[in-house]
Amino acid sequence: EQAVKETLPNLSEALSPDDWSGSLKKKKLVEQAIRYVKEGYTRKELALSEVAAAVGLSDKYLNLLVKEVTGTTINHAIIRLRMEEAARLLKDPANKIYEICDWIGYADQDHFRETFKKQYGLTPTEYRNKFL
């Protein structure tokens, strides 16, 4: 699977747009959207509409494509990336939880705590204590 992901950009560059199959076009668009999300997930204002505009699609169609190709929505991908980064940052006790919350794009610490608990089954503090 990793090899396919690594060769996908090369394969799509080798083909002219007229040669692309429908599914390859979809995968390429989704890949661009996910790359955009990975580059900007720490910004509080990152939203589906911005990602859709960046790849030249409507919000609804982009969400449909992403769901079809990855099994998840753009918003879930943003949340997952933010929570993975939070989990990584929580392992360092020098990082304050409120700072981590801000760094990963959450303005509301309570919302961050609820989302983190939903993802990992532990609050950020409990998660941190597990690794100390």
Side-chain angles (χ1 to χ4, degrees):
E1 184 177 336
Q2 185 62 31
V4 170
K5 286 179 183 177
E6 290 172 4
T7 60
L8 182 61
N10 299 332
L11 177 61
S12 62
E13 289 169 9
L15 297 173
S16 71
D18 296 334
D19 294 335
W20 289 4
S21 69
S23 64
L24 184 57
K25 282 183 189 176
K26 289 177 184 179
K27 288 177 183 174
K28 186 65 176 170
L29 288 167
V30 169
E31 179 185 276
Q32 290 173 345
I34 297 297
R35 187 178 318 118
Y36 188 86
V37 167
K38 285 181 178 178
E39 291 170 0
Y41 72 91
T42 58
R43 294 191 341 268
K44 290 175 180 65
E45 66 278 357
L46 182 65
L48 170 61
S49 57
E50 181 183 338
V51 179
V55 295
L57 299 173
S58 72
D59 299 5
K60 195 171 186 174
Y61 186 61
L62 175 62
N63 226 15
L64 182 73
L65 278 184
V66 171
K67 181 89 173 171
E68 181 183 318
V69 173
T70 68
T72 189
T73 64
I74 285 288
N75 288 333
H76 283 110
I78 293 169
I79 291 167
R80 190 185 76 244
L81 283 168
R82 287 176 172 169
M83 293 302 106
E84 287 172 357
E85 180 66 4
R88 188 185 69 76
L89 292 168
L90 282 166
K91 292 177 183 175
D92 181 354
N95 296 325
K96 306 282 187 249
I97 292 176
Y98 70 89
E99 292 173 333
I100 293 170
C101 180
D102 189 52
W103 290 338
I104 64 165
Y106 275 80
D108 182 356
Q109 288 184 44
D110 291 333
H111 181 60
F112 165 66
R113 186 174 33 259
E114 289 172 21
T115 305
F116 191 90
K117 186 165 185 169
K118 196 181 295 183
Q119 177 90 14
Y120 291 100
L122 301 167
T123 66
T125 305
E126 293 167 342
Y127 186 88
R128 167 175 273 163
N129 291 338
K130 184 177 168 184
F131 289 97
L132 295 179

